[in-house]
């Protein structure tokens, strides 16, 4: 099974290779892990949705209009002026001390008690945090529970480590705890090893749903009772449209008495995602394992990025930017929701998020959002992301995600009108 | 085995926890991978060697004095002025197109023919490249061959994936091919699956040894004959002290007809390591797997770092900085080698590198460089890195690495004098 057949022979004809590259067949060399990996359907379609003239509700990135570019420029300038050599040298694996301090400060503001620098790891976006946590805890076959639907990057991180992914129903107030219990019991009966519950409690990607305070408490109790860890992924908590709601967004981590909760967040949605700075707040033994794993993953993150973000926090730029950032997304969300009320045909349902970047749409069962996307792009030049890849159980073909972050308010209204027309055509 | 015993009870006494963190015991939760990970002995000693007043030959970082800080500052400024929003937004997983172009250009300059953008992946330093390649190819138990000694970060990346690490003797012109063949045959007899030969052909870390041109050719032939991949890690090739030698430093990748070689390099030693930009040049099927694996590892690297480095290449700053960077390290190396000639007692051997950052020292067999380090630090306030962790076969207790990158030339002379005194005490 190790025979290596040059592609040109295999193809049955002799031809001059275009370059010296890629002649051999690597199939027998690849690891089992990499053979499990899949190209994301969302990424496959990304090319289409980026064509010019398309109104796109597809991409999940925050709007670049919210980045405080001028302030970041001034800060980068002063860092390179005053401390250039240190900012360009290697740094500590767990992160730049100034940024760790910022995260400690931020965690206390988010009401997580007792956080010190020894409970923090800075990562290259929360995506790296997900990957490192997967590597620390997951052996092939271990079970991770996901909300139905959930974040594709979280799903992929655990799937790539050969975890067994189990979906749990989600309702208005978040994950369905009855269903979670029955899935946990089922795992036990099957002899599977349940390890992690992955939740995005605030304005979830992709649904915009927020986990209720009661369910946060109950989820933690379940984790304790069944000896599970909770990965609490919170990139959107600060992108809250209703100041009165903030009191309900208590992190699960803030109630964690035994260390079951691993809290992740990021500066990506509230400052800049290109500056790769996410973080983990967890018990020290977990932070130590992150240190070990991150050492061989990348030695350390970008030192310039970390210093810029730390200085943005220190000078209050992130904090002061929040009210206008919330207004910005609230207004876009309202335009989208109003247009949907006005134009969407009956039998189509959608969420009304109180924060974040996304609205989730459910079409009648018999419709396939992937097929409809083709027509939406071709006939109306409007794009969204199909809902199936957000489901670990292969369901959700009648669902889709709309991001209101990218387009102008005028385009949001226009795009929803177009989309409503496409859906109406399929319902008639 | 899932019982969770709070630490305070386990410790046999009741005490108030310092915080809400770290009460439970995670042992039964951790993955097999993370249980195999070890803290690097080098990192354990890093604290000691950073004490003030110590002359340190320990750290392997390039000297910050070589970073073109003023130019980088000007470039960061103009990027954030002209293209700030894009520089702060998410980017493509395989890297910023401008930096990929720079790497294509750089690869052709290094005489690797036929490289196009589809053969390049930008990584967060070459450390991430090592990690991604490990994940793509290594299943637990797969064999990776290492030079004795080799780079600790390369060793750790593969060890953390539960690879079987096999050491191969190294002589003046690099890896001992007879020994490599016998180790390959041995693996075959034992039923082990041999997959990768990891080599650092130019001014190797830690020895400073350069692989001869003949051995480069022979190594590639061996890889083809035994169906192995070669990971050619080349961070130091440009840090060459002898212009006449450059012709001998042909990358193994440049002779690769079938795609057996995966070439890694980085801008860390020739521009800045804090801007995390390494790269891979390999066949397209491998680059595609890197794309998949990197998507879940960190989505994308720092966009600001990538744009800064791309612009440094485009403006010729990296290329123009090279002659003075080579002079800088050549001169330091000469000072170290001269001092060693002058002061080292007989029975101590060391390498004479023609580039890079390191000199490798072999003490008589009965001496233990770790024990001697304690005294070197205490009595003479001089630091080095012990050689054992660079050996995958647990040998090398009588060896050590000296980096000449950090200290001034005066301190290098003084430090070697002190070190010679410590060694002499142990030889009497």
């Amino acid at each position: 099974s190790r025979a290596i057949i040059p592609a040109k022979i295999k193809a049955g004809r002799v031809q001059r290779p275009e370059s010296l590259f890629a002649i051999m067949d690597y199939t027998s060399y690849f690891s089992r892990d990499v053979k499990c990996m899949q190209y994301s359907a969302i990424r496959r379609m990304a090319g289409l949705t980026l064509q010019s003239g398309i109104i796109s509700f597809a991409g999940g990135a925050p709007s670049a209009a919210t980045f405080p570019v001028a302030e970041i420029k001034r800060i980068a300038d002063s860092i390179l002026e005053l401390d250039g050599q240190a900012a360009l040298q290697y740094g500590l694996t767990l992160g730049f001390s100034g940024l760790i301090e910022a995260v400690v400060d931020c965690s206390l503001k988010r009401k997580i008690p007792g956080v010190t620098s020894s409970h923090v790891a800075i990562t290259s976006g929360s995506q790296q945090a997900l990957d490192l946590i997967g590597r620390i805890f997951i052996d092939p076959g271990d079970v991770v529970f996901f909300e139905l639907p959930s974040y594709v990057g979280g799903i992929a991180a655990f799937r790539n480590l050969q975890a067994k992914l189990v979906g749990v129903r989600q309702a208005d107030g978040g994950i369905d705890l009855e269903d979670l219990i029955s899935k946990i019991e089922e795992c036990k009966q099957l002899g599977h090893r349940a390890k992690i519950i992955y939740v995005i409690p605030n304005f979830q990607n992709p649904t915009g749903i927020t986990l209720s305070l009661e369910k946060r408490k109950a989820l933690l109790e379940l984790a304790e009772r069944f000896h599970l860890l909770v990965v609490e992924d919170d990139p959107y908590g600060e992108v809250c449209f209703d100041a009165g709601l903030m009191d309900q967004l208590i992190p699960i981590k803030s109630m964690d008495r035994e260390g079951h909760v691993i809290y992740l967040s990021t500066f990506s949605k509230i400052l800049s995602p290109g500056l790769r700075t996410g973080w983990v707040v967890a018990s020290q033994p977990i932070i130590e394992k992150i240190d070990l794993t991150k050492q061989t993953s990348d030695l350390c993150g970008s030192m310039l990025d970390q210093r810029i973000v730390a200085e943005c926090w220190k000078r209050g730029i992130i904090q002061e930017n929040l009210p206008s950032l919330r207004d910005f997304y609230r207004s876009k969300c309202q335009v989208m929701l109003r247009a949907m009320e006005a134009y969407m045909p009956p039998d189509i349902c959608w969420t009304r998020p109180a924060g974040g970047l996304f609205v989730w749409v459910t079409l009648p069962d018999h419709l396939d959002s992937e097929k409809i996307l083709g027509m939406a792009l071709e006939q109306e030049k409007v794009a969204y992301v199909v809902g199936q890849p957000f489901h670990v159980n292969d369901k959700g073909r009648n669902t889709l995600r709309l991001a209101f972050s990218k387009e102008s308010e005028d385009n949001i209204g226009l795009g929803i009108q177009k989309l409503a027309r496409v859906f109406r055509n399929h319902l008639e």
Side-chain angles (χ1 to χ4, degrees), chain A residues 246-412:
Chain A
M246 288 296 280
D247 282 348
Q248 299 289 305
L249 306 184
I250 309 281
I252 306 171
K253 182 69 194 163
S254 73
M255 304 178 269
D256 183 22
R257 289 154 299 189
E258 297 176 2
H260 285 266
V261 183
I262 301 167
Y263 178 86
L264 315 187
S265 192
T266 173
F267 293 104
S268 290
K269 320 302 172 193
I270 55 175
L271 182 70
S272 149
L275 305 173
R276 305 294 294 132
T277 46
W279 73 84
V280 181
V281 169
S283 300
Q284 207 174 336
I286 295 174
I287 298 298
E288 280 164 14
K289 296 296 186 191
I290 290 178
D291 190 15
L292 268 176
T293 314
K294 190 168 156 63
Q295 269 174 41
T296 56
S297 291
D298 67 0
L299 288 180
C300 67
S302 164
M303 294 314 294
L304 186 57
D305 285 6
Q306 290 186 71
R307 278 173 190 257
I308 290 172
V309 176
E311 193 61 26
C312 283
W313 182 266
K314 204 170 154 193
R315 294 192 193 180
I317 287 161
I318 298 170
Q319 301 88 318
E320 284 158 23
N321 196 34
L322 278 177
S324 68
L325 182 138
R326 288 175 185 144
D327 289 347
F328 178 88
Y329 288 120
R330 181 197 302 111
S331 178
K332 280 181 190 285
C333 182
Q334 281 172 354
V335 170
M336 180 172 276
L337 292 176
R338 275 189 211 126
M340 292 184 79
E341 293 290 350
Y343 301 112
M344 282 294 159
D347 300 330
I348 290 182
C349 308
W350 59 91
T351 55
R352 276 85 180 162
L357 311 179
F358 308 111
V359 169
W360 182 252
V361 180
T362 304
L363 306 175
D365 283 347
H366 68 283
L367 293 185
D368 180 334
S369 66
E370 189 164 349
K371 279 188 195 141
I372 298 176
L373 177 59
M375 284 176 236
L377 283 165
E378 207 173 301
Q379 293 168 8
E380 298 282 1
K381 292 191 171 293
V382 60
Y384 55 77
V385 164
V386 299
Q388 193 285 312
F390 297 92
H391 293 74
V392 298
N393 66 350
D394 209 44
K395 297 273 168 61
R397 289 180 199 283
N398 60 325
T399 61
L400 57 108
R401 189 192 73 180
L402 303 176
F404 46 80
S405 48
K406 179 172 177 276
E407 297 292 341
S408 69
E409 296 188 3
D410 283 354
N411 271 353
I412 290 173

Side-chain angles (χ1 to χ4, degrees), chain A residues 42-152:
Chain A
I42 293 168
R43 290 177 63 102
R44 267 195 282 115
M45 280 182 288
L48 287 175
T49 63
L50 290 172
Q51 290 168 35
S52 71
I54 297 266
I55 295 180
S56 179
F57 303 131
S63 168
T66 64
F67 306 160
V69 179
E71 286 86 347
I72 288 173
K73 177 168 170 286
R74 261 198 302 279
I75 284 172
D77 207 61
S78 87
I79 289 167
L80 288 166
E81 178 70 35
L82 301 172
D83 215 7
Q85 290 196 348
L88 298 172
Q89 186 56 283
Y90 285 115
L92 295 177
T93 301
L94 285 176
F96 170 59
S97 59
L99 188 55
I100 291 175
E101 278 166 41
V103 166
V104 167
D105 187 29
C106 179
S107 303
L108 298 175
K109 282 201 169 57
R110 291 185 189 178
K111 306 207 177 74
I112 307 177
V115 179
T116 71
S117 57
S118 61
H119 305 118
V120 174
I122 305 297
T123 54
S124 184
S126 350
Q127 189 65 45
Q128 190 187 35
L130 286 167
D131 180 50
L132 296 175
I133 287 164
R135 296 173 79 170
I136 288 171
F137 292 109
I138 298 301
D139 289 319
D142 285 352
V143 173
V144 181
F145 299 98
F146 289 86
E147 293 151 334
L148 285 171
S150 184
Y151 168 55
V152 285

